[in-house]
């Protein structure tokens, strides 16, 4: 008797990379093998199904030793099939060409947004990831907690140099239009002020806080600012360029805030932008566990033929919801920001 043919499941990682993606890929491959699937890794996100057919077969050997590795072994891109002529058709054609039976897309709002535009009978499952943690529908996304840890360590390091030189240090962190990373890292690192996109910057209040700290004998201050925080309602971008999804490349608000603080208070001030360091490095335990649990759930969804859904974290449970329930635009919980602001003095 010929053995039944293994079902082929594609997996791709799209958008900005983050720590914890490899844990998800590893889990899909290992659990997939137990369930009788062959896993096909699509390289560089949607690019590997649209601009060219680029893939590799994933087996247990290929995913050995990747649990603690940052980034994604599959590569990523910000390729937007919706901006490419016949992009969706190309995905469907290449999916068929690769003889795939299902697809698992690991990504943020952009990558999963493309998944939502596929026909309603397309066999796809989504896994949410983004350091920004700005997806509605899941408590946390893969990558967020490692980014928070890295930013917290940066704040810790800034503390000692700020104290030695009696300076104001401004740290700019990623997060796009939401202050998740800034608030969580600022809380963990004991920031003296946190500026986020959800709340207009009141530079006078920031300077007042710094002056009061000095009066109380604290000769230094740490200010954390999220890249999407706005001065007079304006986003700051050094390049002015947008990516394929139309997102403006943010960056530079930290410098502007530092200049204003220096001008208004006269205190020596320095700005640091942690930039993409935030997205690199080894994932913290939480992201390894979340990636693994999401990966297992996603491939089990495939085996149950429950498609057009994304896996999510609610409390301590991994569940799945229809794609429509997962979307961008999730603001930081004002209660968490309120708690962080108790320490702005
Ligand atoms: O969406 C994740 C993110 O890291 C944002 O925080 C940041 O604004 C953006 O990606 C940077 O994008 P890129 O890697 O394309 O420079």
């Amino acid at each position: 008797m010929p053995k039944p043919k293994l079902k082929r499941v594609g997996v791709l990682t799209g958008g900005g990379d983050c720590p914890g993606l490899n844990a998800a890929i590893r889990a899909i491959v290992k659990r997939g093998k137990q369930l009788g699937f062959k896993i096909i890794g699509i390289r560089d996100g949607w690019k590997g199904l649209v601009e060219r057919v680029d893939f590799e077969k994933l087996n247990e050997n290929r995913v050995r030793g990747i649990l603690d590795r940052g980034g994604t072994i599959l590569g990523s891109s910000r390729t937007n099939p919706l901006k490419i002529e016949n992009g969706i058709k190309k995905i469907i054609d290449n999916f068929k060409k690769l003889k795939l039976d299902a697809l698992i897309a690991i990504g943020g709002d952009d990558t999963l947004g493309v998944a939502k535009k596929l026909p309603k009978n397309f066999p796809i499952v989504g896994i949410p990831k983004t350091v920004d943690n700005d997806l509605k529908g899941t408590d946390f996304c893969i990558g967020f907690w490692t980014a928070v840890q890295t930013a917290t360590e940066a704040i810790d390091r800034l503390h000692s140099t700020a104290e030695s030189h009696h300076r104001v240090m401004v740290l700019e962190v990623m997060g796009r239009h939401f202050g998740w990373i800034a608030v969580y890292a600022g809380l963990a690192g004991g920031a003296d002020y946190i500026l986020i996109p959800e709340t207009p910057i009141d530079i006078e209040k920031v300077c007042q806080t710094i002056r009061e700290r000095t009066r109380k004998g604290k000769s230094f201050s740490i200010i954390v600012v999220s890249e999407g925080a706005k001065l007079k309602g304006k986003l700051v971008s050094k390049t002015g360029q947008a990516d394929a999804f139309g997102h403006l490349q943010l960056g530079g608000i930290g410098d502007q805030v530092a200049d204003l603080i220096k001008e208004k208070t006269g205190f020596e001030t320095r700005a640091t932008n942690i930039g993409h360091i935030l997205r690199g490095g080894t994932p913290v335990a939480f992201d390894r566990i979340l990636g693994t649990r999401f990966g297992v759930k996603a491939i089990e969804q495939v085996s149950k033929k429950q498609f057009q859904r994304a896996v999510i974290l609610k409390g301590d449970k991994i569940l799945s919801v229809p794609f429509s329930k997962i979307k961008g635009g999730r603001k930081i919980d004002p209660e968490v920001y309120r708690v962080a602001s108790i320490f702005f003095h």
Side-chain angles (χ1 to χ4, degrees):
M1 279 280 282
K3 277 192 186 164
K5 230 174 146 212
L6 292 180
K7 294 257 172 175
R8 287 159 66 87
V9 180
V11 55
L12 62 82
T13 49
D17 73 329
C18 66
L21 291 171
N22 287 327
I25 297 167
R26 171 180 173 271
I28 291 166
V29 171
K30 291 198 170 213
R31 183 68 182 124
K33 191 182 173 200
Q34 291 172 353
L35 294 168
F37 291 115
K38 265 191 181 158
I39 308 297
I40 310 298
I42 311 293
R43 291 209 190 92
D44 299 338
W46 292 118
K47 192 182 211 168
L49 275 183
V50 177
E51 288 181 15
R52 53 178 199 266
V53 182
D54 196 355
F55 68 99
E56 61 171 307
K57 289 182 185 153
L58 297 176
N59 57 24
E60 285 195 292
N61 265 346
R62 178 70 171 107
V63 298
R64 189 160 293 138
I66 66 167
L67 186 56
D68 62 347
R69 267 173 61 189
T72 160
I73 60 163
L74 294 177
S76 194
S77 72
R78 292 202 186 272
T79 295
N80 182 358
L82 307 176
K83 288 273 168 68
I84 293 170
E85 210 184 334
N86 293 324
I88 292 290
K89 186 176 178 304
K90 282 178 182 161
I91 292 176
I92 298 167
D93 290 349
N94 290 329
F95 177 84
K96 286 184 188 152
K97 204 181 276 178
L98 286 173
K99 295 189 169 44
L100 295 177
D101 298 295
L103 186 64
I104 297 175
I106 312 177
D109 193 27
D110 297 335
T111 305
L112 299 183
V114 172
K116 284 181 196 169
K117 298 277 181 208
L118 289 163
K120 289 290 162 253
N121 60 353
F122 192 92
I124 186 163
V125 174
I127 297 183
K129 70 84 223 173
T130 167
V131 291
D132 301 338
N133 203 44
D134 58 354
L135 289 183
K136 288 179 187 163
T138 181
D139 287 354
F140 293 111
C141 301
I142 299 174
F144 171 66
W145 279 104
T146 306
V148 168
Q149 183 63 32
T150 305
T152 302
E153 282 166 23
I155 297 170
D156 291 348
R157 284 169 192 272
L158 287 176
H159 259 106
S160 57
T161 177
E163 194 167 11
S164 306
H165 286 269
H166 318 296
R167 283 174 175 160
V168 178
M169 301 299 286
V170 178
L171 176 69
E172 180 177 325
V173 297
M174 282 186 178
R176 206 160 256 161
H177 303 299
F178 303 96
W180 285 90
I181 300 171
V183 173
Y184 273 67
L187 246 174
D192 303 307
Y193 219 104
I194 305 168
L195 300 167
I196 58 172
E198 289 90 333
T199 307
I201 295 179
D202 183 343
I203 202 72
E204 290 306 334
K205 229 167 144 186
V206 178
C207 292
Q208 197 48 35
T209 304
I210 295 168
R211 286 189 206 101
E212 271 167 28
R213 281 175 58 77
T214 312
R215 266 198 294 278
K216 284 187 261 176
K218 293 169 188 158
S219 69
F220 71 95
S221 293
I222 307 283
I223 315 299
V224 177
V225 55
S226 185
E227 62 178 1
K230 293 178 249 0
L231 262 172
K232 295 194 180 134
K234 271 202 189 135
L235 282 170
V236 182
S237 167
K238 274 184 183 161
T239 64
Q241 283 171 0
D243 67 19
F245 286 87
H247 303 300
L248 184 65
Q249 215 171 53
L250 298 173
I253 183 73
D255 290 319
Q256 293 196 6
V257 166
D259 286 349
L260 280 172
I261 293 172
K262 195 172 164 193
E263 187 190 304
K264 288 176 183 294
T265 65
F267 295 135
E268 215 184 335
T269 307
R270 296 283 190 273
T272 304
N273 186 342
I274 190 171
H276 291 75
I277 291 170
L278 199 85
R279 291 216 315 243
T282 186
V284 296
F286 187 93
D287 282 326
R288 297 182 201 192
I289 295 165
L290 189 63
T292 301
R293 294 181 74 196
F294 274 174
V296 167
K297 180 77 175 175
I299 192 73
E300 289 180 349
Q301 288 284 124
V302 170
S303 76
K304 290 183 200 150
K305 297 197 169 70
Q306 289 174 349
F307 297 120
Q308 299 272 325
R309 298 179 76 80
V311 299
I312 55 149
L313 177 74
K314 270 285 159 227
D316 61 356
K317 297 270 179 287
I318 305 291
L319 309 170
S320 85
V321 291
F323 268 153
S324 58
K325 294 267 182 256
I326 191 124
K327 48 181 178 256
R330 183 172 174 226
K331 291 181 181 170
I332 181 75
D333 181 347
E335 175 55 15
V336 183
Y337 188 57
R338 185 189 72 81
V339 171
S341 64
I342 287 171
F343 302 91
F344 298 171
H345 61 81

